[in-house]
Amino acid sequence: MGMTDLLRGVQGQGDFGVWLGRLDGVPVFMHAAERPHYSASTMKVLVAMAMLRKVDAGELSLEQPVTVHNDFASAAGGRFGVNRAEDEAPATWTKLGEQVTLGWLATEMITRSSNLATNLVLEQAGVDTAQAVLAEYGSGASAIQRGIDDVAAQAAGISNLMSPADLAAVLVAAGNDDSASGRYLRDLLAANEWNGEIPAGVPAGTRVEHKNGWDVRIRHDGGIVRPADAEPFVLTVCTTSELPDPDAQKLIAAIAAEAWNHRHELEAVR
């Protein structure tokens, strides 16, 4: 079953976007790829890139201590905190009131998708820096404007948005970055412990440098897949739908499997 068939099978059940191409950034398959979705945790890639920009500039250090707290400035004014019940990464919460390194927080943010760690890293790196990185590579359709669980900002229409095409552009940039920071980021993405989407559609043991995201009606994943016997390829899938969450995961995995099956001739994907 081709990608078009897979997407036709969920027609009318929500919004589904796909971008597939190689590290040259040229797409070979797109479906509603320019349409933005709520970003969920895919925005954490931009937070990591913003942090690394400041590390490279000497403004931050991966070894610098950061006190773990749950009180942040809202993009709408006032203060807010992360909803602990909805954060599926508990380790950062065990450090409340203690100091950890910025690098430890970055690892929790990417590999375990910690929301609290994300806001702590974002506080150091700055929303403006994350948005600037996105603007450098993206089309303008996507945006990083606030931290996670900033309810007042969300109510005011201040949101984080991501299109499959823009997420792909960010991953292409990350995949072509030969600096120490580029390698560091890719290793973080490869260590992601939530692997129910793209990695589930390719053979076990395949290196996939990816970041997924999920929320109510939301299931996304975007990554660089590195077959041992073919060139790397970039795949991003964003879903905002009425599908049960396990079905959305299976859809992304099936799309990844179709890309994998054409890895030697990616342009043949239909």
Side-chain angles (χ1 to χ4, degrees):
M1 181 179 291
M3 283 195 193
T4 300
D5 296 323
L6 290 167
L7 293 163
R8 188 179 295 121
V10 293
Q11 190 172 356
Q13 298 183 65
D15 293 328
F16 303 89
V18 179
W19 191 101
L20 173 67
R22 297 198 187 277
L23 282 175
D24 60 5
V26 178
V28 300
F29 181 91
M30 291 194 296
H31 174 87
E34 302 293 343
R35 182 185 303 160
H37 298 245
Y38 171 61
S39 71
S41 291
T42 62
M43 57 84 75
K44 295 171 183 177
V45 180
L46 278 305
V47 177
M49 292 174 79
M51 175 197 73
L52 290 168
R53 289 250 173 128
K54 291 207 166 184
V55 168
D56 289 343
E59 299 174 35
L60 295 175
S61 166
L62 293 175
E63 301 304 318
Q64 74 181 62
V66 178
T67 301
V68 177
H69 58 273
N70 188 28
D71 178 68
F72 304 98
S74 169
R79 311 290 295 181
F80 77 98
V82 173
N83 184 340
R84 185 171 185 170
E86 294 182 0
D87 193 347
E88 298 176 84
T92 312
W93 293 93
T94 69
K95 306 292 186 180
L96 279 171
E98 301 178 19
Q99 287 190 332
V100 297
T101 66
L102 182 60
W104 186 88
L105 289 170
T107 298
E108 289 296 306
M109 173 178 70
I110 297 295
T111 67
R112 298 177 180 87
S113 208
S114 167
N115 292 339
L116 181 57
T118 299
N119 283 358
L120 290 163
V121 176
L122 185 61
E123 187 175 58
Q124 296 292 319
V127 172
D128 290 347
T129 306
Q131 173 58 28
V133 175
L134 178 57
E136 181 176 340
Y137 301 117
S139 66
S142 304
I144 305 299
Q145 301 183 94
R146 62 171 175 83
I148 294 176
D149 285 343
D150 188 346
V151 176
Q154 183 178 10
I158 303 170
S159 191
N160 296 326
L161 303 173
M162 189 69 68
S163 72
D166 286 346
L167 181 56
V170 168
L171 290 167
V172 166
N176 286 297
D177 184 353
D178 291 329
S179 71
S181 288
R183 293 190 295 273
Y184 176 86
L185 175 60
R186 291 194 297 274
D187 285 346
L188 283 183
L189 295 170
N192 189 346
E193 296 181 4
W194 300 96
N195 293 309
E197 298 87 28
I198 292 174
V202 303
T206 303
R207 182 176 170 99
V208 183
E209 300 156 4
H210 76 114
K211 186 68 198 80
N212 38 8
W214 56 93
D215 204 334
V216 178
R217 300 184 67 238
I218 299 289
R219 180 61 68 167
H220 309 323
D221 199 8
I224 304 167
V225 180
R226 296 188 182 272
D229 60 350
E231 293 180 29
F233 62 86
V234 176
L235 174 65
T236 61
V237 186
C238 294
T239 77
T240 304
S241 76
E242 301 305 326
L243 292 180
D245 194 53
D247 291 350
Q249 288 184 288
K250 289 176 183 177
L251 173 65
I252 297 173
I255 289 171
E258 182 67 12
W260 177 268
N261 290 339
H262 290 85
R263 66 193 182 280
H264 298 297
E265 191 180 358
L266 209 60
E267 292 75 13
V269 168
R270 298 288 182 268

